[in-house]
């Protein structure tokens, strides 16, 4: 009887977005620490899943630690990390030209992938690059025309204190216009960013709960992996973005909370 | 009887693309001078119509002169010139933030349009800018989100000696991703670039003949303004571009010639 119960036990695994949910830029969200403490007390496993490819997983660990949130690198999934894993698995000998920042280059190198100049590359990997310029767009397009084109994510924008900045998607649109669309996009809403977690939990009776503040990214991702979706509406992106209503219609969330402070009460009901 | 004939006289007006047809970069196309001499002898009026917004009309006059081709500025229509005319006519008080090069800034100023910083602008005008960077994309997107967004043209690429470089369309795609699509695109295939010519000839019995090397730009433009289209197939863009066949299917030309050297013989038949 006990054995039977054990078979039907379902693990609830939280896939938590970071920017706009747990913090806003460098400011921790009110109630975030309490929500994390609640998950810990309930023994609910939580992965932090972010499309941001500019920082390493270790940088996220220390960023969260400063905010009073304990996390290990194994529970931080960035689009850079998932991209590195995807290339190491599918194209192990790839010679990669990177358009992106430190986090992406670090994770690729750590996965044993060779980074090279555009002349010698057979693959371009593009993520957010705040030093993007015409020369990089041109080089990336040249590589994409003759080889593979892999995008970490295609977020259109991200919020900062006084507005929105162009996301990874802006640079990728420029490269794509001058060459062709990416072969694959790794980040949310695509399931490739889920693969590192699926490898660990895919065989279990696991139910995933995605918490995020973007319809077209987080909620669409939840639909893609058949997870429960929790939309966090009180985020800068939803005040600043041009057409959130359009995306709300396309990707209706299962649950909506105002801020992460409302997560424990919701989980009390649904877990 | 003579009067009647005069009424039905049709002016054939050539709208001639430049790069890839009359010259390749700084190299005049074989047969271009002879073709121009033929037009002059036949008294066929010819406008040079280019989506390139980086140079002024005067710069084109001297460029063509060096190649042995006589042209006056009044017969050179650049997307920059047409954009300046469009804004002067439709939004005379516009305060414009420019993403673009000298030719665009010059034509806008010449048309009496105020150029300003992104903070003070109500309109962003974007063309090819080979010094494009992340900051310009970000500033342009910010202006586009709160004001007008006007694109000189959306050419994906342009050919250079050793390959393709990103065209105006690449930068505009980046800005559009981070904000929204342009309100209006002036250059070919759109008819706005035709407006300066239409103003002069629109009342006459004029038949237009578009000569160009891009299906999606020149031939589509000919279809847009109900002109006869002549496709010049032996151009670098048609050897280097990724999917010319797709566009050939969408925009079938009326006539195809290998190079501009074949134009006089074709015009002998159709004019």
């Amino acid at each position: 009887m006990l054995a039977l119960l054990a078979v039907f036990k379902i693990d609830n695994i939280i896939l938590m977005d970071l920017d706009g949910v747990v913090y806003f830029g460098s400011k921790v969200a009110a109630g975030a620490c309490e929500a994390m403490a609640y998950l810990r007390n309930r023994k609910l496993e939580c992965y932090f899943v972010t499309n941001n490819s500019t920082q390493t997983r270790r940088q996220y660990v220390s960023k969260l630690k400063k905010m009073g949130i304990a996390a290990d690198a194994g529970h931080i999934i960035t689009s850079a990390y998932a991209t590195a894993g995807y290339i190491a698995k599918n194209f192990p000998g790839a010679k990669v030209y990177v358009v992106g920042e430190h986090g992406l280059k670090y994770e690729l190198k750590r996965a044993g992938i060779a980074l090279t100049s555009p002349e010698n590359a057979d693959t371009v990997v593009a993520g957010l690059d705040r030093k993007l310029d015409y020369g990089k767009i041109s080089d990336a397009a040249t590589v994409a025309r003759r080889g593979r084109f892999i995008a970490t994510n295609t977020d259109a924008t991200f919020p900062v204190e006084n507005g929105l900045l162009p996301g990874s998607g802006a640079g990728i649109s420029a490269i794509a216009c001058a060459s062709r669309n990416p072969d694959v996009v790794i980040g949310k809403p695509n399931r490739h960013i889920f693969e590192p977690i699926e490898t660990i939990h895919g065989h279990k009776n696991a139910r995933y709960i995605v918490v995020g503040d973007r319809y077209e990214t987080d909620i669409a991702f939840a639909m893609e992996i058949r997870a429960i979706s929790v939309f966090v509406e009180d985020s800068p992106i939803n005040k600043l973005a041009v057409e959130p209503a359009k995306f709300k219609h396309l990707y209706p969330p299962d649950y909506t909370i105002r801020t992460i402070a409302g997560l424990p009460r919701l989980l009390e009901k649904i877990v």
Side-chain angles (χ1 to χ4, degrees), chain A residues 73-245:
Chain A
H75 281 80
I76 288 168
I77 313 290
T78 70
S79 65
Y81 171 67
T83 299
Y86 180 89
I87 294 172
K89 183 184 165 193
N90 294 288
F91 311 112
K95 285 174 278 181
V96 171
Y97 171 61
V98 179
V99 175
E101 299 192 13
H102 172 66
L104 181 54
K105 289 176 185 166
Y106 177 90
E107 298 290 359
L108 288 167
K109 278 191 266 187
R110 199 182 159 278
I113 295 155
L115 307 192
T116 185
S117 65
E119 293 75 27
N120 298 317
D122 57 24
T123 304
V124 56
V125 175
L128 178 63
D129 186 340
R130 285 166 291 185
K131 287 189 176 150
L132 185 75
D133 62 23
Y134 185 80
K136 287 185 187 179
I137 294 168
S138 178
D139 286 340
T142 302
V143 178
R145 264 183 241 112
R146 67 160 188 262
R148 294 179 206 105
F149 179 13
I150 297 170
T152 60
N153 67 299
T154 52
D155 290 14
T157 55
F158 64 93
V160 285
E161 213 172 322
N162 50 358
L164 295 173
L165 284 179
S168 165
I172 287 160
S173 294
I175 298 164
C177 175
S179 60
R180 62 190 186 80
N181 287 334
D183 297 300
V184 60
V185 180
I186 303 295
K188 295 179 278 184
N190 304 286
R191 65 175 304 120
H192 295 295
I193 199 169
F194 179 56
E195 282 170 18
I197 303 164
E198 208 176 19
T199 304
I200 299 168
H201 298 284
H203 60 289
K204 288 193 198 171
N205 290 307
R207 184 170 75 154
Y208 297 95
I209 302 171
V210 172
V211 183
D213 65 331
R214 285 206 162 188
Y215 295 112
E216 74 277 26
T217 310
D218 300 302
I219 308 307
F221 172 61
M223 291 166 86
E224 173 70 20
I225 65 167
R226 296 167 173 270
I228 293 171
S229 62
V230 179
F231 181 68
V232 179
E233 65 184 343
D234 201 6
S235 156
I237 201 79
N238 294 309
K239 291 167 195 151
L240 295 166
V242 176
E243 289 181 344

